[in-house]
Amino acid sequence: MTSRHPARTLWALLMVLTLLLAACSTADDGDEETTDAAADDTAAEDEPADDEPAGDESADAEPADDAAADDEPAEEEPADDGGDDLLAQTDFFVQEDFEAQLALADATPEGPDDQPWLQQLDPTMVETTDFAVDGEGEVCFSNISEGNGWRAQGATTAQAAAEDIENVTLNYVDAEGDDNQQIADIEALVDGGTCDVLIVAPFTADALTPAVELACDAGLPVVVLASPVNSDCQTTYVSSIGGYLFGYQGAEFIVENAEPGANVLALRILPGVAELEWRWGAAVEAFRDSDVNVVAVEFTEQDPTATKQIVTDAIQRFGQIDAVWMDAGAAAIPTIEAFEDAGLEVPLIVGEDENQFLQAWAEGDLNAVAPTFPNYQWRTAIEAAADILEGTPVPERWIVPQPAIQTAEERDEAIAEELGPLFYALCGCRDLGSFPDAYS
């Protein structure tokens, strides 16, 4: 059949075709939008790495925070860094011993004022007539080590003092820091049968106690020096007052001279060493009852480079350090250098009686104190041995005074300009025949 209106039919077909194409086009566009959205979602799930840079950017922003901290040190509260926990008392602390040492510091010693190595605090004398010898006697001396300046100088003083005493021959052996070697040394000295007196300068009480008792059992009078053993068989034990006083003297100086709220940095060598724990325990007692803030307690391991970095870090972290306490003077010079390098005034500082610290104190006009563990006790041990050889009574516990160097006058008198930086001023050696050559 043929249409009577072919033009109308063609127009109608074109309209239908147009509508069909439009519908198909709309459907295609919708599919593309859905696919694009899914692609975006997938990209979002697969882009945690893109999130990390954002994290890094946050981290990168931290130096700005650090800089702000540097500019505003007061915003860092010491309490956030430990507070009272920093002043937790050491397990080595014994209240009775602490109080006894502080009491001895105020006691009047017996003996010549100008020879503190012969002075005695609260002595209880023991008879030695059974050990007296006719003529020359041999003093055997077992030292654990000359591995630090204090012990090396002490050994020098002991040998120099023996040379200046008539009828004394010194037989000295150094165990070079080895307990087993010192035990072997003592056994050899006892077995040798030539010793009239034995001096033992130990380090480890538990290890050396059997060797000391071996000597006692062999009938030898024994002088224990500077560090105790776990026995009372020795004839005398020679030392200065002790670690509690050392630690307290430095802390007391800070407490008395610092402003309320002052930031205190405490530097320790190592944990677990009795002498050093006693020093810290005494400082804790002083700081606990004060208005100062101990903001950090750090171990230096007696490494000057590490010490300087620790102090530098503390300055940056807390912004202001008003005082530095330390359990040994070896940390003093790197501490001073850290403040000088930072362009800061050296704060209240505790050192020791080493030449280099006393000289730095004088040159910098520092506000400082120097507790001491007097090296002259090594001479006291020789004097005790000489007394025993003569049958003269000696103190069962020969405690020599332990003064701190506190004033400019005391400091200047103590400095030995002719000797090196590591010379310990309270040596009891300046009248010995080999001084100063033996100490150069």
Side-chain angles (χ1 to χ4, degrees), residues 3-24:
S3 174
R4 289 183 297 178
H5 306 283
R8 291 183 180 179
T9 300
L10 180 60
W11 182 85
L13 288 173
L14 287 173
M15 288 298 295
V16 170
L17 180 59
T18 299
L19 291 172
L20 287 172
L21 290 172
C24 289

Side-chain angles (χ1 to χ4, degrees), residues 126-134 196-197 216 219-222 233 235 385 387-392:
V126 295
E127 295 294 331
T128 65
T129 50
D130 291 343
F131 302 122
V133 299
D134 294 327
D196 295 301
V197 179
C216 293
L220 274 177
V222 177
C233 80
T235 305
D387 285 349
I388 292 169
L389 291 174
E390 294 177 348
T392 301

Side-chain angles (χ1 to χ4, degrees), residues 49-330:
D50 291 340
D51 291 338
E52 289 175 2
D56 290 344
E57 289 169 5
S58 177
D60 290 342
E62 289 179 0
D65 292 340
D66 290 344
D70 290 342
D71 293 336
E72 297 175 358
E75 291 183 358
E76 184 157 2
E77 295 294 337
D80 294 341
D81 298 290
D84 291 342
D85 290 339
L86 293 177
L87 297 180
Q89 188 52 274
T90 168
D91 292 339
F92 289 74
F93 184 78
V94 178
Q95 184 72 34
E96 182 180 0
D97 294 346
F98 167 69
E99 293 175 357
Q101 289 192 15
L102 296 194
L104 278 175
D106 295 328
T108 301
E110 299 180 13
D113 292 339
D114 60 346
Q115 295 177 301
W117 55 91
L118 293 179
Q119 292 184 325
Q120 304 156 9
L121 287 162
D122 193 24
T124 299
M125 308 305 286
V126 295
E127 295 294 331
T128 65
T129 50
D130 291 343
F131 302 122
V133 299
D134 294 327
E136 188 170 291
E138 179 171 323
V139 176
C140 297
F141 195 136
S142 168
N143 184 17
I144 178 61
S145 173
E146 296 181 13
N148 62 51
W150 189 84
R151 284 184 174 272
Q153 181 174 315
T156 298
T157 296
Q159 294 173 76
E163 290 174 1
D164 281 13
I165 299 177
E166 292 184 0
N167 296 325
V168 168
T169 298
L170 187 66
N171 180 2
Y172 174 84
V173 289
D174 174 14
E176 299 182 344
D178 185 336
D179 284 336
N180 291 328
Q181 181 59 54
Q182 187 172 27
I183 292 168
D185 289 343
I186 293 172
E187 291 173 348
L189 290 170
V190 172
D191 291 344
T194 63
C195 302
D196 295 301
V197 179
L198 174 65
I199 300 175
V200 179
F203 188 72
T204 310
D206 289 343
L208 267 296
T209 294
V212 168
E213 291 183 333
L214 173 71
C216 293
D217 291 343
L220 274 177
V222 177
V223 178
V224 175
L225 169 61
S227 186
V229 294
N230 300 324
S231 177
D232 59 1
C233 80
Q234 64 270 9
T235 305
T236 182
Y237 169 38
V238 172
S239 78
S240 59
I241 295 175
Y244 288 117
L245 179 60
F246 186 106
Y248 191 81
Q249 287 170 328
E252 183 182 40
F253 163 77
I254 290 174
V255 169
E256 291 181 350
N257 290 278
E259 297 292 334
N263 286 349
V264 179
L265 171 64
L267 300 178
R268 305 179 58 190
I269 296 177
L270 291 170
V273 177
E275 171 68 22
L276 302 178
E277 293 287 347
W278 294 330
R279 294 181 183 189
W280 173 238
V284 167
E285 291 299 296
F287 290 140
R288 273 179 168 177
D289 296 331
S290 75
D291 294 327
V292 303
N293 289 323
V294 177
V295 295
V297 182
E298 303 288 354
F299 292 100
T300 67
E301 299 184 359
Q302 212 158 359
D303 181 331
T305 302
T307 300
K308 189 173 179 179
Q309 188 60 54
I310 287 169
V311 176
T312 299
D313 292 345
I315 293 171
Q316 293 176 349
R317 183 181 179 193
F318 299 104
Q320 181 169 334
I321 298 295
D322 303 296
V324 181
W325 177 94
M326 58 192 70
D327 62 7

